[in-house]
């Protein structure tokens, strides 16, 4: 592909540009500005002024970074994260100049339904390493990539481009501290310091001492004229040599290059039309026919989305399952922790293995990653009580050549960071999240700590897989499976010690010979007098209720659902045949297992007696067993409810 | 109620304590420490060491603050927010000393299922203004209370007590900046600076320059020995006089007063038992029989939860609805903005009216609160791109005597801050959230900006009400209803201009004579050949499909659901009678309207043909109509799908 860019600046061959180089970059930037403005005019939507503001930042980043159309799908290269994703026209123009795709394609199909050139940058576009647009996320993603490179023992550079309006987002402060703690000297931030956000000047919208904040959080802070190629290049070259992570405040002019867009919040999110567009092109020295041509091309079909870069080849030995006998009573989180530590030991310090980074937010002892931390100290990452940034860091790291696992309480690892997990899904990360203390089984912590919505939240995504194991044996197997299986996978566990589930002969159900298969429901007891579906720790209470029902001559089918987002047809069909379905969970009764099964029954169009038992108010603070009983979910309650359902 | 505290320090009668006063506080603190340790021992759970660390902070705050057992349920008083809610034993002990309830009650029933004394402080306990436990939230709540006082024209003090481990949470930085911008000099923060968090020393877990950060964000920073009553009282008295919001770093010893708990992370979350407990009581000079007595009492029944403080009397004139004729095409968000401005004008500058605070995160022009901002400048609060803190600030303000309304894009006002909205629910706030750009109707912004989960998220709470209006008329009425109706209410709207919905004679359906009733489904067209349920902006496509079906001789019942979390029985029964149900939404197909209806059908146990149409992958970036069509949700798709459902 022909590319406009014709200078060799990769990896900073010198500390300063020659005048000729600087002039040439000025010319290219002008051309790119015309492309960016044209994109928004053709789409009649988008953010031209910010794109013009960041243009030199984009052009020079893709010039010095070792990322090319050829190596972009591999992992041995530099990474570039764009945090202010709404300036996509600027990014697309710079990428086109550097030969990632023809500029005509971006101009024609920007913000056209079905095109990869979405309004905010997405990973379907060659050269884009992180889909953003929700502000405040990019620095965390950059930290994740940099930590992945560090863990892999490679020294690739990571560039993060940000806006100034987003600087007050708290997540950015968290990310700054992580970068400083991890001494990520290979991280370089360019900040588009144009002082303008949608509603006005940043100093008025939300005053803050930006330089002071970056310095206080331990960063090297530089500043330059960000639209003077020579000044920007030199600042970047100096920043690159810093022993600390560095940020360059780029003094930029919003809307630079188009007189009527300069310094006006108005053109933040408005395209130029008609005469205005012509005037813009005239000022940029480019023919206004660019838009017409693009509009014509826009009607001729939509380009297919490119293949997103993958996660690289994962080499991790997940060992052999550990079996717990029925004499053992332990908690699922301990079984998870032991399996994790086992996998860690098998791979740590072994050349060629994929690093497994385990993230913690000051709860390692409770979420049982402390064993792993002791065995694999360099793979254990303590992030402090900074969940938002941790979620994004862990997600992005998994796109940088490691496997990431983050363990936290349910309300912190999901409720608090739901949007970050949604964005990880959109970005196709390879993150494992181990949530402990889910459901009502949190011990005495009380309602603010009861994660009764983990099914209901993950159901809103399209990619997340969710596993709710019933006992320590299943937990061990699911943990190993999750670590070796690509994609975003959550393992959800309560806090209490649980008996090992066994069949009627006393043989462990999930022990020797059992293999975890995602989506398969588990038959705990065969039966035909109706069906009880249970989930996770409720399996034990359900089994007690089942035993009591059997004593009264009722023998239901008892099924455990470890994968509530993907229940197998066979199980649902078998349940329908029994004529009555009771679902039992210590999860919100309207959004979890009961809701999933209820909808399946409705879609099947068959008349079945159905009742969903679950959490119907915020829970109490007390011993888990008491909390569950007071919620009407004790085995006695299940027993009575099932008889009522059967009219017996 | 007899109280242990017998000094008069309310509102700082002097700048310094007398030696006698200081000694007396030392004695009281010792007694309170024994109560706090006993609570955790009796519950065999909880956080003793942090409670001991914060004890003087608690005792002195409730001493100087104008908050008493008598005035606590009113709004004309000071407010106290506890951010580190896990140190509840310390707070309960201090409240007991100040006469809010008998100490025996807290010692007996701490962390007992059904008792108000939850593991983390909750508003059911007298004296507790904000339920916390999820760290990093408290300062925002304090900012909210302080802003409410400011808006009401009263100068009550707001105290916030925090831990040092939570300081790195990004939300705290956001809240600091808001306090500085709003010049909340009546806000005083006490920081429990004991250097210890669960996993170790704060300097190791996540290094940060705490003093520097508070100063850089514009706060007055003081420091003192936080366990020396004289030093702490004096620092608080000085801080109170600061023209800026002020923080006092309280140099405290973790576990202070019990030798074997001092400075050890181990006792962060572990209770003392047996000999250890006896040793603790001995050191504190209190009989170890305290625990026995409490255990005895624990078995004698659980105290009822107190009534939470209400929102005070709301006086707001919500005017008369504005009707849009069928000749008008406008967007719901503009109808919302106009109604809001109308309500604002009717009440602004009118003595005795309840302030209506409208919060913005740099999107006023898009979410249409700009008119209100111009008409009621002092009630409009620009918070910058800091959604987490804004969610909590707005929620807490609504407990401080104002009505709060926050308007934002769906992904920012809900997805990004789901947990904050969950905690607002738990705290029983009176917050109105106007979400715009929900569903696929976000214009060209693309998938990161498509809030396709607002039903699926709010469904996980117990208190939130949700309204998805179908057209500008319904929006106007729902807006006024939400403002005058107590509780947390969300209004969800797309971006596009919509025609006014009319009946078959052309008379607007939601115009003159229509009154919004929460939970009532709207009959758009009568019919009996199956039923189409639609939601929000999809009503228009559904009506088009209906018209096409009528042309082919099929006349379904067409119902609009504006309140998907509470669908009336009548509507569901009517639909069941028609034998076939199609649901249509530009929301995730598994978690929204279709899922709610599906579950209702399943619970009804009747066989009905059922299909749920909705969003089944992340959406495209393009014109809303194109995005909807490409998702298979155009009116042609609905027409065909309904015929297929009927086998016709």
């Amino acid at each position: 592909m022909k590319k406009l860019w014709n200078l060799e600046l990769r990896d900073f061959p010198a500390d300063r540009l020659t005048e000729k180089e600087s002039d040439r970059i000025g010319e290219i930037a002008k051309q790119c500005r015309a492309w960016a403005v044209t994109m928004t005019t053709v789409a009649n939507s988008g953010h031209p002024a910010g794109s013009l503001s960041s243009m030199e930042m984009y052009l020079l980043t893709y010039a010095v970074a070792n990322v090319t159309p050829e190596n972009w799908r591999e992992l041995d290269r530099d990474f570039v994260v764009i945090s202010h994703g709404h300036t996509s026209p600027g990014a697309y123009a710079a990428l086109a100049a550097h030969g990632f795709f023809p500029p005509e394609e971006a101009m024609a199909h920007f913000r056209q339904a079905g095109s990869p050139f979405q309004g905010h940058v997405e990973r379907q576009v060659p050269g884009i390493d992180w889909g953003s647009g929700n502000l405040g996320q990019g620095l965390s993603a950059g930290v994740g990539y940099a930590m992945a490179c560090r863990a892999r023992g490679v020294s690739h550079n990571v560039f993060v481009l940000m806006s100034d309006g987003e600087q007050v987002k708290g997540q950015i402060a968290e990310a700054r501290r992580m970068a400083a703690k991890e001494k990520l000297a290979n991280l370089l931030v360019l900040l588009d310091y144009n002082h303008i956000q949608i509603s006005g000047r940043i100093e008025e919208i939300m005053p803050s001492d930006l330089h002071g904040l970056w310095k206080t959080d331990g960063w090297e802070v530089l500043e330059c004229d960000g639209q003077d190629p020579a000044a920007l290049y030199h600042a970047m070259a100096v920043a690159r040599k810093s022993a600390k992570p560095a940020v360059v405040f780029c003094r930029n002019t919003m809307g630079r290059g188009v007189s009527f867009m300069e310094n006006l919040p108005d053109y933040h999110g408005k395209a130029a039309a008609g005469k205005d567009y012509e005037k813009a092109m005239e000022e940029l020295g480019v023919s206004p026919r660019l838009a017409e041509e693009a509009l014509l091309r826009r009607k001729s079909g939509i380009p297919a989305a490119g293949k997103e870069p993958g996660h690289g080849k994962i080499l991790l030995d997940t060992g052999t399952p550990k079996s717990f006998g029925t004499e053992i009573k332990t908690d699922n989180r301990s079984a998870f922790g032991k399996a994790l530590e086992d996998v860690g030991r098998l791979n740590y310090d072994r050349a060629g293995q994929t690093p497994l980074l385990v993230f913690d937010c000051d709860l390692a002892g409770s979420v049982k990653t402390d064993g792993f931390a002791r065995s694999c100290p360099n793979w254990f990452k303590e992030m402090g009580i900074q969940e938002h940034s941790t979620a994004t860091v862990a997600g992005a790291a998994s796109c940088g050549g490691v496997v990431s696992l983050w363990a936290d309480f349910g309300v912190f690892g999901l409720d608090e960071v739901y949007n970050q997990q949604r964005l990880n899904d959109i970005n196709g990360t390879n993150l494992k999240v181990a949530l402990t203390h889910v459901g009502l089984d949190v011990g005495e912590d009380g309602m603010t700590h009861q994660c009764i919505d983990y099914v209901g939240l993950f159901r809103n995504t399209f990619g997340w897989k969710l596993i709710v194991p019933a006992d320590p044996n299943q937990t061990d197997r699911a943990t190993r499976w999750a670590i070796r299986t690509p994609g975003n996978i959550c393992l959800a566990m309560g806090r209490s010690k649980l008996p090992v589930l066994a069949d009627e002969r006393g043989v462990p159900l999930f022990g020797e010979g059992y293999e975890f298969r995602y989506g398969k429901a588990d038959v705990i007891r065969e039966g035909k007098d109706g069906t009880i579906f249970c989930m996770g720790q409720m399996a034990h209470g359900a089994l007690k209720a089942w035993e009591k029902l059997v004593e009264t001559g009722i023998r239901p089918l008892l099924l455990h659902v470890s994968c509530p987002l993907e229940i197998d047809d066979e199980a649902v069909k078998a349940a329908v045949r029994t004529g009555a379905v009771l679902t039992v969970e210590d999860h919100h009764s309207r959004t979890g297992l009961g809701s999933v099964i209820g909808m399946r029954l409705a879609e099947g169009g068959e008349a079945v007696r159905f009742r969903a038992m679950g959490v119907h108010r915020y829970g109490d603070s007390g011993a888990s067993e008491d909390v569950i009983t007071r919620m009407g979910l004790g085995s006695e309650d299940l027993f009575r409810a099932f008889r009522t359902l059967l009219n017996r």
Side-chain angles (χ1 to χ4, degrees), chain A:
Chain A
M1 200 179 295
K2 191 172 138 281
K3 62 180 186 181
L4 186 61
W5 189 269
N6 56 356
L7 308 167
E8 187 45 74
L9 300 181
R10 215 160 300 289
D11 287 328
F12 300 98
D15 265 7
R16 294 190 184 270
L17 294 180
T18 63
E19 208 179 308
K20 206 177 141 190
E21 285 170 331
S22 183
D23 289 347
R24 174 64 190 144
I25 295 171
E27 286 164 27
I28 295 173
K30 223 164 168 179
Q31 177 68 63
C32 286
R33 287 192 157 87
W35 292 345
V37 168
T38 301
M39 284 178 217
T40 59
T41 293
V42 169
N44 189 23
S45 140
H47 301 82
S51 302
L52 300 180
S53 181
S54 294
M55 193 55 78
E56 281 77 11
M57 284 167 43
Y58 281 125
L59 275 172
L60 277 174
T61 297
Y62 289 109
V64 301
N66 175 24
V67 47
T68 66
E70 293 70 37
N71 72 11
W72 174 69
R73 280 193 177 75
E74 307 304 320
L75 292 170
D76 278 317
R77 57 166 177 103
D78 292 347
F79 297 91
V80 178
V81 174
I82 296 166
S83 189
H84 54 326
H86 62 279
T87 61
S88 51
Y92 298 158
L95 285 165
H98 283 284
F100 282 79
F101 43 78
E104 292 78 15
E105 208 166 282
M107 282 187 283
H109 303 294
F110 180 58
R111 291 183 166 229
Q112 185 178 24
S115 137
F117 298 101
Q118 292 223 351
H120 296 81
V121 296
E122 297 295 345
R123 295 181 81 211
Q124 291 85 337
V125 174
I128 300 296
D129 280 324
W130 194 253
S132 67
N134 288 205
L135 293 169
Q137 315 284 325
L139 185 61
S140 301
V143 168
Y145 275 111
M147 286 176 69
C149 290
R150 170 77 52 85
R152 289 163 55 205
V154 294
S155 59
H156 302 310
N157 300 313
V158 179
F159 298 84
V160 178
L161 287 72
M162 311 176 81
S163 74
D164 50 5
E166 69 177 317
Q167 292 298 313
V168 291
K169 278 281 285 183
Q171 184 175 336
I172 293 177
E174 296 180 355
R176 272 199 301 259
R177 288 188 276 272
M178 293 175 177
K181 182 187 181 191
E182 296 288 321
K183 300 188 175 59
L184 302 176
N186 57 336
L187 189 59
L188 198 166
V189 172
L190 301 183
L191 198 161
D192 187 359
Y193 199 37
N194 60 35
H195 298 272
I196 296 200
Q197 59 188 114
I198 298 182
S199 305
R201 292 187 64 82
I202 61 168
E203 291 78 6
E204 287 153 22
I205 300 303
M206 185 47 63
S208 71
D209 172 1
L210 293 186
H211 288 75
L213 288 171
W214 284 87
K215 274 182 199 153
T216 306
D217 278 328
W219 281 59
E220 186 73 36
V221 178
L222 294 95
E223 184 167 330
C224 71
D225 177 341
Q227 289 166 338
D228 171 352
L232 176 57
Y233 176 88
H234 181 63
M236 291 171 74
V238 172
R240 244 334 265 122
K241 288 186 182 156
S242 163
K244 297 195 279 187
V247 55
V248 180
F249 278 64
C250 301
R251 283 193 309 271
N252 289 339
T253 299
M254 185 83 164
R256 173 70 173 256
V258 177
S259 58
F260 60 87
M261 288 186 182
E262 286 190 4
N263 282 322
L264 291 179
D266 192 37
Y267 272 95
H268 175 98
K270 195 177 90 174
K275 291 283 171 209
D276 280 347
Y277 174 72
E278 284 173 24
K279 185 162 167 17
M281 289 305 107
E282 197 188 324
E283 291 183 12
L284 293 166
V286 171
S287 157
R289 296 216 30 197
L290 218 48
E292 277 168 58
E293 287 161 15
L295 273 167
L296 211 65
R297 190 176 167 131
R298 193 176 183 89
K299 288 172 190 143
S300 69
I302 299 165
K307 199 174 146 291
E308 288 177 35
H311 305 123
K313 195 168 164 59
I314 308 290
L315 276 175
L316 268 176
D317 181 352
T318 54
T320 48
K322 175 174 167 55
S323 292
F324 299 84
T326 50
E327 75 286 0
I328 292 169
K329 194 171 174 181
T330 186
D331 43 357
N332 285 349
R333 57 196 170 120
S334 290
F336 150 76
K338 286 203 180 82
L340 178 67
E341 186 178 356
D342 187 36
V343 174
R345 282 173 190 272
L346 284 169
N347 297 278
Y348 195 65
D349 281 339
R350 255 179 74 193
Q353 297 303 95
T354 304
L356 170 60
L357 292 191
V358 173
F359 294 85
D360 178 47
C361 291
D362 194 28
L363 283 172
S366 297
V367 301
K368 306 299 181 186
T369 51
D370 47 349
F372 181 93
R374 282 186 297 269
S375 298
C376 314
N378 292 332
W379 285 0
F380 179 78
K381 298 294 171 186
E382 178 55 71
M383 298 283 99
I385 304 173
Q386 305 188 123
E387 292 90 0
H388 292 107
S389 185
T390 301
T392 307
V393 166
S398 75
C399 296
V402 304
V403 172
S404 296
L405 184 145
W406 176 29
D408 209 330
F409 283 9
V411 289
F412 306 138
L414 178 55
D415 294 48
E416 177 77 355
V417 297
Y418 168 75
N419 195 39
Q420 282 68 21
Q421 301 295 23
R422 181 182 76 99
L423 295 169
N424 281 335
D425 191 34
I426 286 178
N427 275 294
T429 60
N430 185 22
L431 173 62
K432 319 303 162 190
V433 171
L435 301 181
T436 71
H437 296 63
V438 304
L440 295 178
D441 185 21
V442 307
E444 290 83 352
D445 278 341
M447 57 182 163
T448 54
H449 284 55
Q450 289 162 0
C451 179
I452 53 166
D453 44 16
Y454 54 103
V455 179
L457 294 180
F458 276 127
R459 260 177 106 188
N460 290 295
T461 68
F462 297 104
W464 274 96
K465 288 185 165 66
L466 172 63
I467 308 171
V468 195
D471 81 351
N473 277 322
Q474 195 172 33
T475 302
D476 177 275
R477 283 140 185 91
T479 300
R480 296 169 199 271
W481 181 87
I483 293 172
R484 69 173 171 261
T485 304
N488 294 316
I489 304 173
C490 172
L491 209 65
M493 298 163 281
R495 179 179 184 273
S496 296
K497 295 195 173 180
L498 299 172
V500 165
L501 280 172
D503 64 18
E504 287 186 82
R505 298 162 305 159
V507 179
L509 273 164
F510 305 111
E512 306 291 338
Y514 164 77
E515 192 187 342
F516 175 78
R517 269 180 49 208
Y518 188 76
K520 194 175 173 309
D522 310 307
V523 179
I524 297 183
R525 291 291 182 272
E526 294 282 2
K528 54 179 184 30
D529 307 331
T531 301
I532 302 174
F533 279 102
C534 59
M535 183 172 76
Q537 68 129 337
M538 295 302 288
H540 304 276
L543 181 53
K544 272 192 202 157
W546 183 90
E547 285 164 353
K548 216 170 154 203
L549 286 163
V550 168
E551 282 171 24
T552 65
I554 302 169
R555 191 184 168 90
L557 174 60
L558 177 58
L559 296 174
H560 174 255
V561 175
S562 64
C563 309
L565 301 188
E566 197 165 313
I567 301 170
D568 59 313
D569 279 335
E570 291 310 309
V572 177
K573 279 182 197 157
V576 167
R577 282 194 297 270
T578 67
V581 172
L582 181 74
T583 63
V584 181
E585 60 197 313
D586 61 337
H587 184 284
H588 197 299
S589 65
R590 302 285 95 186
T591 62
L593 176 66
S595 167
V596 172
I597 301 254
M599 195 163 179
R600 290 286 286 273
L601 294 176
E603 287 177 326
E606 283 176 280
V608 180
R609 289 178 198 182
F610 172 66
R611 182 173 169 202
M613 291 179 81
V615 179
H616 46 82
R617 60 170 172 84
Y618 291 111
D620 298 314
S621 165
S624 288
E625 208 182 309
D626 296 344
V627 174
I628 285 165
T629 306
R630 281 183 54 91
M631 192 59 72
L633 294 172
S635 57
E636 273 296 327
D637 301 300
L638 311 190
F639 168 77
R640 277 194 303 271
F642 196 76
R643 284 180 61 98
T644 304
L645 188 71
L646 295 189
N647 284 329
R648 280 162 80 172

